């Protein structure tokens, strides 16, 4: 069983950021990676049509590709180096677009890689995009053709993702800390920062601004090892400000309720984050929150929704246990 790692963000003065989990999620891993890569390609084709594009013209493509890389890493870890290479090439080309053709072409090639991997997506349309971009660059084709294809691919990826069967979120409906499974060979501190970014859209990559000052390791007879990494915000940014930014990112997109509003959120497990004093942690962490009967019934039928597979004890699986959080709360109060 895979060890789990969680991130506890605090201000150094007794205030912590905690999160309430959603019950169901269909915006994760390969779904998010496919949609974000397709949208990044569409943004790249649009930027490439500007006569003398400036760095800021590529901002949308840059942020979408960064999120796509994070989603792909979450979905496939290091098992698909050719996909990671394609996405990284696209990011590099867009970060310093010496050639608008190179930036748009590498983004289109990344789409082909992702669409090849995600079997429920239409590869036929994706495979033609790089050649259409090349033709537009060379003057033998129209940018409008490439733009229409890129927009169609982005729309089809989003539609396909929206029809995927949602999964039950670990620790569904409970107060928790952002976190998840440790990748093979991954350091605990790296995993904590990665998981936090995937679920909140807030990067903790700046190791000075977000400094680790504590690591708790919890062993359980019923589950794999849990680790909690505490990170302190050292630049004086109020946790309330970060919480507001995160809550905007994890709210449902107004026109599309099956994905989060923030493009940086690549694993939509969180419903709400809030700031609490350390003394209040035991009133939230490790305290079971009753779920609506409808949520329990839906969870029992996933996956797949079949009466023969219904198991109304799904919350007892170790992925949903929260009792160990009570110990974590006490440790964070006194550390």
């Amino acid at each position: 069983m895979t060890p789990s790692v969680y991130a506890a963000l605090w201000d150094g003065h007794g205030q912590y950021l905690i999160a309430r989990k959603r019950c169901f999620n269909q915006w994760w891993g390969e779904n998010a990676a496919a949609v974000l890569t397709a949208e990044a390609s569409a943004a790249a084709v649009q930027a490439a049509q500007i006569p003398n594009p400036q760095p800021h013209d590529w901002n949308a493509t840059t942020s979408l590709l960064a999120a796509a890389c994070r989603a792909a890493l979450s979905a496939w870890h290091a098992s698909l180096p050719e996909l990671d290479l394609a996405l990284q090439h696209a990011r590099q080309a867009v970060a310093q677009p010496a050639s608008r053709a190179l930036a748009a072409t590498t983004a289109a090639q990344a789409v082909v890689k992702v669409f090849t991997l995600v079997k429920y997506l239409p590869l036929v349309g994706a495979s033609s995009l790089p050649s259409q971009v090349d033709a537009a660059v060379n003057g033998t084709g129209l940018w409008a053709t490439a733009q229409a294809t890129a927009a169609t691919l982005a729309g089809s990826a989003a539609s396909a993702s929206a029809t995927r069967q949602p999964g039950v979120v670990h620790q569904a409906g409970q107060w928790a800390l952002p976190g998840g499974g440790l990748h093979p060979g991954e350091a605990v501190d790296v995993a904590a920062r990665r998981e936090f970014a995937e679920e909140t859209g807030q990067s903790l990559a700046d190791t000075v601004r977000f400094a680790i000052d504590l690591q708790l390791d919890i062993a359980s007879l019923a589950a794999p090892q849990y680790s909690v990494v505490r990170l302190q915000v050292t630049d004086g940014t109020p946790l309330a400000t970060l919480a507001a930014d995160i809550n905007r990112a994890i709210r449902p997109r107004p026109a599309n309720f099956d994905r989060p509003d923030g493009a940086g959120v690549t694993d939509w497990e969180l419903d709400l984050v809030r700031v609490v004093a350390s003394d209040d942690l035991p009133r939230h962490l490790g305290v079971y929150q009753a779920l609506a009967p409808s949520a329990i019934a839906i969870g029992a039928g996933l996956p797949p929704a079949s009466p023969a597979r219904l198991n109304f004890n799904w919350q007892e699986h170790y992925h949903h246990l929260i009792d160990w959080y009570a110990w974590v709360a006490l440790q964070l109060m006194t550390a």
Side-chain angles (χ1 to χ4, degrees):
M1 292 184 288
T2 304
S4 297
V5 180
Y6 297 86
L9 191 65
W10 80 315
D11 64 356
H13 304 289
Q15 299 288 315
Y16 283 87
L17 189 78
I18 63 172
R20 187 175 65 203
K21 293 292 194 82
R22 292 164 52 87
C23 289
F24 309 108
N25 178 20
Q26 62 189 132
W27 182 257
W28 53 270
E30 67 175 32
N31 289 355
V35 177
L36 292 167
T37 304
E39 290 179 346
S41 180
V45 170
Q46 184 173 5
Q49 297 178 65
I50 300 173
N52 294 296
Q54 300 301 307
H56 67 267
D57 293 319
W58 298 95
N59 285 350
T61 309
T62 300
S63 61
L64 287 166
L65 280 173
C69 286
R70 193 158 56 241
L73 177 64
S74 174
W76 300 294
H77 310 332
S79 62
L80 295 164
E82 72 281 0
L83 172 61
D84 181 63
L85 188 62
L87 287 169
Q88 292 300 339
H89 279 173
R91 288 186 71 184
Q92 293 167 8
V94 170
Q96 297 179 334
S99 165
R100 60 178 180 168
L102 178 63
T105 300
T106 52
Q109 290 168 344
V111 171
V112 176
K113 290 288 186 183
V114 172
F115 274 54
T116 301
L117 184 65
V118 182
K119 300 303 182 183
Y120 60 83
L121 294 175
L123 178 60
V124 175
S127 60
S128 65
L129 182 58
S131 61
Q132 290 176 358
V133 171
D134 288 340
V137 171
N138 297 329
T140 58
L142 299 176
W143 277 111
T145 302
Q147 184 171 356
T149 299
T152 298
L153 292 173
S156 63
S159 296
S161 173
T163 61
R164 300 289 289 174
Q165 186 83 323
V168 180
V169 174
H170 294 173
Q171 301 158 1
Q174 308 304 308
W175 286 105
L177 299 172
L182 183 71
H183 290 174
E186 187 178 30
V188 169
D189 60 318
V190 173
R193 296 180 191 274
R194 173 184 57 76
E195 286 286 345
F196 192 94
E198 288 176 2
E199 295 183 9
T200 67
Q202 169 66 53
S203 172
L204 302 183
D206 187 334
T207 58
V208 174
R209 184 187 180 198
F210 302 104
I212 295 174
D213 62 9
L214 180 69
Q215 179 175 322
L216 303 172
D217 297 313
I218 307 101
S220 170
L221 294 177
Q225 176 178 304
Y226 296 99
S227 294
V228 175
V229 176
R230 188 173 72 178
L231 303 101
Q232 181 181 342
V233 182
T234 62
D235 68 349
T237 302
L239 280 186
T241 299
L242 294 175
D245 290 341
I246 293 170
N247 280 327
R248 280 191 291 270
I250 63 177
R251 68 188 178 189
R253 184 167 289 197
N256 192 347
F257 282 93
D258 51 25
R259 64 183 289 187
D261 203 24
V265 180
T266 58
D267 189 4
W268 197 20
E269 292 202 351
L270 306 184
D271 172 60
L272 174 74
V273 299
R274 68 186 306 181
V275 178
V276 300
S278 58
D279 290 348
D280 285 333
L281 288 174
R283 299 185 181 92
H284 295 83
L285 298 182
V287 179
Y288 177 72
Q289 307 294 313
L291 302 184
S294 58
I296 297 174
I298 294 172
L302 296 175
S306 168
R309 294 285 296 273
L310 290 181
N311 176 8
F312 288 92
N313 296 322
W314 60 268
Q315 292 171 286
E316 298 176 6
H317 191 275
Y318 77 84
H319 281 150
H320 300 288
L321 297 179
I322 61 168
D323 55 336
W324 58 276
Y325 268 122
W327 182 85
V328 170
L330 292 176
Q331 296 302 309
L332 294 177
M333 281 179 59
T334 57

